[in-house]
Amino acid sequence: MKTQIKLPKQSPDYAENKKKKKKCLLMYSGGVDTSISVYLLQKYYGYEVITATIDLGQNFQDPSVMGEKAIKLGAKKHITVDATKEFADDFVLKALWANALYDEKYCLSTSIARPMTAQKAIETAKRQKVDAIAHGCKGRGADAFRLNMVFHFLAPDFPVVLPIHDWNPTRSEEAAFAHEHNIPIPVDWENP
């Protein structure tokens, strides 16, 4: 039995983006949301997609494998930005010195990483002379807020495209959509 899913809506700018061959830089992790975002940005927004992975020293992901996957999904180019030393020196070390904790017991990790990844994505987008920047956050949590806040602060005139937020699918809808469109994702589409 085929799962009924709510489909994304085509952007009103699709035809213009396609006609003018506009480019969008997608912050790319290789996960469910960003893998689907490569497809959405092309097929529903009309962008040529350049993906960028900001390497902060995560040992569980191989940026070159992520880049290969992005190209297979249709990205025109993939860029890996090595920000490991800068992240350690300018963010992690300062957080340790400040004994920065959440609820007085959790080390800050993702929350201090988002401003750095957004900053590096903007720098990369400007170097690549793209027309817009995108991320795959749904917009319901702090990650989207942190990224969007930095985008709007450092590049207030730069268009931000939010394909997953605009669509607002459930995880099951995303998995079914990925399966239907042959988008490889790191979860079982029948049990995401």
Side-chain angles (χ1 to χ4, degrees):
M1 183 167 118
K2 196 171 185 178
T3 305
Q4 285 287 31
I5 61 171
K6 170 182 65 182
L7 292 174
K9 291 186 170 94
Q10 193 169 66
S11 167
D13 300 326
Y14 174 86
E16 181 183 344
N17 292 343
K18 192 93 168 150
K19 180 180 175 185
K20 293 183 177 180
K21 296 187 177 192
K22 289 190 175 184
K23 293 182 252 174
C24 183
L25 183 113
L26 170 66
M27 295 179 66
Y28 183 75
S29 69
V32 174
D33 296 322
T34 60
S35 295
I36 291 172
S37 290
V38 173
Y39 184 91
L40 294 176
L41 288 167
Q42 295 171 83
K43 306 294 184 186
Y44 288 82
Y45 290 81
Y47 284 109
E48 293 181 2
V49 180
I50 296 172
T51 54
T53 299
I54 314 304
D55 184 359
L56 302 179
Q58 312 92 306
N59 289 329
F60 60 91
Q61 297 170 315
D62 181 346
S64 64
V65 172
M66 292 166 60
E68 290 169 12
K69 180 181 176 185
I71 298 299
K72 286 179 185 172
L73 290 170
K76 299 290 181 195
K77 181 179 189 179
H78 178 78
I79 299 161
T80 299
V81 177
D82 183 355
T84 53
K85 182 171 179 6
E86 188 176 350
F87 181 61
D89 292 348
D90 295 346
F91 286 74
V92 176
L93 195 54
K94 289 177 181 176
L96 289 172
W97 285 339
N99 197 27
L101 300 173
Y102 174 72
D103 282 345
E104 299 181 18
K105 58 184 168 188
Y106 301 109
C107 295
L108 299 177
S109 57
T110 303
S111 59
I112 64 168
R114 293 301 181 238
M116 165 68 85
T117 56
Q119 174 191 343
K120 294 300 176 186
I122 289 167
E123 291 169 6
T124 304
K126 288 179 178 179
R127 277 194 306 278
Q128 294 299 311
K129 297 180 170 67
V130 299
D131 301 287
I133 193 166
H135 62 71
C137 295
K138 284 191 171 79
R140 290 181 280 234
D143 282 345
F145 174 78
R146 289 181 190 112
L147 295 173
N148 293 338
M149 181 179 61
V150 173
F151 290 160
H152 293 300
F153 180 75
L154 295 179
D157 297 328
F158 213 77
V160 178
V161 183
L162 307 169
I164 298 296
H165 173 267
D166 293 349
W167 177 21
N168 196 25
T170 65
R171 190 55 122 198
S172 295
E173 288 173 327
E174 281 184 292
F177 183 86
H179 177 70
E180 192 172 302
H181 294 90
N182 297 315
I183 302 168
I185 56 174
V187 297
D188 179 358
W189 78 274
E190 292 178 322
N191 186 19

